[in-house]
Amino acid sequence: MSQLQRIAIAPNQLQEDQILLTPQQLHYLGRVLRLRDGDRFMAMDGVGKCWLAQLAGEQGQVLESLSVKTELPVTITLMVALPKGNGFDEVVRSCTELGVTCIAPVLSDRTLLNPSPQKLERWRRIAAEAAEQSERSFVPTILEPEAFSTAIKAGVENQRYICEARGEYPHLRNSINSVSGEIVIAIGPEGGWTETEIENAIASGFQPVSLGRRILRAVTAPIVAISLIAAACEV
Ligand code: SAM
């Protein structure tokens, strides 16, 4: 099935066994990919379902439902203090490819950026494209940015980690205590977390962890963290 092109559809585009294609999807399938009536493609709804379909005029005729096994056995929420410039684009793209479930952009004491609403739309588009590209059946949720102090108070996951570049903390690799369930991992901004932020996170159940002895860029650290979790959880 790997040679087939994929498109992401909204769940309400599927009616009975017909996929009602949008003008953009028709353009992409017909003009960009040069598919003709009868040619096959895959459609994913971004929330776990995938279908084999064939082009039929302005619709996709569903041929069969497919089982896609590309998701990790854990749910990972990545909390990231927004890096400067367009660094967050790369975080969203790479971490989606690696299997993240949810990305929560947070504003920390040393965050420089307060993003525009257009940025959120852009990140969601990047996540959808990266999920398609890496053949995932889920598109990660990108939450609205919120203050780190608020974000750490939500949720009841028992595996919550905060990455700190300095100090004698256990390595994340040795700290993951379950390869299923829900994991939350927090990465700081270019200037790092403040002491108060670390203290508040610990008080909210976060365990401080290291990603190794080198100081990673704010864009590299999330990629390393998600890779380590995926490596620990995937057989
Ligand atoms: N300016 C900070 C300093 O000099 O300590 C470094 C901040 S680092 C560029 C950005 C974020 O990436 C950190 O807040 C941390 O969450 C994460 N990070 C980078 N390297 C790390 C490491 N070796 N272990 C754990 N976290 C790391």
Side-chain angles (χ1 to χ4, degrees):
M1 219 50 84
S2 58
Q3 72 283 15
L4 287 180
Q5 298 292 340
R6 295 166 174 256
I7 59 162
I9 62 167
N12 64 6
Q13 282 183 260
L14 181 70
Q15 300 200 353
E16 311 254 308
D17 54 0
Q18 301 291 323
I19 298 167
L20 309 179
L21 297 165
T22 64
Q24 292 82 357
Q25 288 165 339
L26 278 169
H27 175 82
Y28 178 67
L29 291 171
R31 298 285 167 134
V32 181
L33 301 179
R34 304 229 167 255
L35 263 54
R36 299 185 174 178
D37 270 5
D39 285 346
R40 296 177 172 202
F41 64 95
M42 284 172 69
M44 49 178 266
D45 69 358
V47 288
K49 295 207 183 97
C50 262
W51 299 272
L52 175 65
Q54 77 182 13
L55 195 58
E58 297 194 342
Q59 299 182 351
Q61 170 72 44
V62 171
L63 301 175
E64 62 179 288
S65 157
L66 299 171
S67 150
V68 177
K69 297 194 174 78
T70 48
E71 294 301 319
L72 291 173
V74 282
T75 299
I76 309 172
T77 295
L78 172 69
M79 229 176 243
V80 202
L82 284 162
K84 60 185 177 201
N86 284 333
F88 203 68
D89 291 7
E90 189 50 39
V91 171
V92 172
R93 188 174 295 113
S94 301
C95 292
T96 298
E97 288 175 32
L98 290 166
V100 78
T101 317
C102 173
I103 301 181
V106 292
L107 305 169
S108 68
D109 292 348
R110 294 185 181 137
T111 301
L112 302 171
L113 194 74
N114 201 347
S116 61
Q118 290 85 343
K119 284 267 183 186
L120 187 59
E121 281 316 303
R122 176 178 166 78
W123 297 330
R124 287 177 173 157
R125 233 180 11 253
I126 291 173
E129 285 165 9
E132 256 177 65
Q133 193 279 328
S134 52
E135 305 196 357
R136 293 189 56 183
S137 54
F138 280 88
V139 176
T141 305
I142 314 289
L143 300 180
E144 302 252 356
E146 67 176 344
F148 180 63
S149 53
T150 311
I152 55 174
K153 291 194 184 119
V156 290
E157 306 82 4
N158 56 7
Q159 295 193 78
R160 313 179 102 200
Y161 305 102
I162 180 162
C163 294
E164 171 52 26
R166 294 177 198 269
E168 292 298 312
Y169 295 114
H171 200 289
L172 172 63
R173 186 192 57 221
N174 303 324
S175 305
I176 298 166
N177 54 35
S178 168
V179 294
S180 60
E182 293 179 38
I183 294 181
V184 177
I185 184 126
I187 306 285
E190 278 86 357
W193 300 114
T194 61
E195 266 181 43
T196 310
E197 285 172 326
I198 300 263
E199 281 165 17
N200 289 343
I202 293 171
S204 295
F206 282 73
Q207 186 183 329
V209 288
S210 164
L211 298 173
R213 302 215 170 121
R214 291 144 303 281
I215 308 291
L216 305 172
R217 284 187 308 129
V219 171
T220 313
I223 299 171
V224 172
I226 304 299
S227 303
L228 285 166
I229 297 171
C233 299
E234 211 163 32
V235 279

